Amino acid sequence: MTDRLASIGELSSGIAHELNNPLTSVIGFSQLLMEGDVPANIKEDLATIYNEAQRAAVIVKNLLTFARKHAPVKQLSQVNTVIEDVLKLRTYEQKVNNIEVEKHLAINSRES
């Protein structure tokens, strides 16, 4: 089982590094094009490309974090922040499956 997890980590790391190069180009060129003199409807499309590439870059970053070996660390966490992060990770699936999430988070994160 340990060998399988190590293999998955190595695979994730390799994929993440290979995806970073084209993502960097897509982000950079879309940003350059948005700064140019282009029609508004094309700027909207470019903004969509840029935002989705940024989202993919976050996923790649998470893959790299997963692939790195690090000792578990206990620390205090803000539950609201954890919930928000999980919801961000699930945004696409919720959108394509027409799932609407209704949040009722604690105002003071020290509440239990």
Side-chain angles (χ1 to χ4, degrees):
M1 185 61 127
T2 303
D3 290 340
R4 288 183 192 170
L5 286 175
S7 295
I8 291 171
E10 287 179 36
L11 179 65
S12 299
S13 178
I15 291 169
H17 283 293
E18 288 299 319
L19 288 174
N20 259 338
N21 292 333
L23 274 176
T24 300
S25 296
V26 170
I27 290 169
F29 284 118
S30 61
Q31 196 171 27
L32 282 173
L33 289 169
M34 283 190 300
E35 292 172 2
D37 187 26
V38 294
N41 62 334
I42 293 177
K43 272 195 183 188
E44 288 177 23
D45 292 342
L46 288 169
T48 300
I49 291 168
Y50 175 80
N51 291 332
E52 293 302 309
Q54 287 284 16
R55 190 166 70 90
V58 169
I59 293 168
V60 168
K61 181 182 173 191
N62 289 340
L63 278 173
L64 285 171
T65 300
F66 169 78
R68 290 189 187 108
K69 296 176 183 174
H70 55 280
V73 178
K74 290 183 180 181
Q75 63 184 27
L76 292 175
S77 296
Q78 299 295 328
V79 174
N80 287 356
T81 304
V82 174
I83 292 170
E84 292 286 354
D85 290 346
V86 169
L87 290 174
K88 283 180 193 172
L89 289 172
R90 308 298 295 188
T91 299
Y92 176 76
E93 186 176 344
Q94 293 164 4
K95 187 176 183 179
V96 297
N97 291 307
N98 294 321
I99 297 171
E100 185 177 325
V101 176
E102 188 174 315
K103 298 181 288 187
H104 299 282
L105 302 176
I107 295 170
N108 181 351
S109 54
R110 291 186 180 187
E111 293 178 18
S112 50

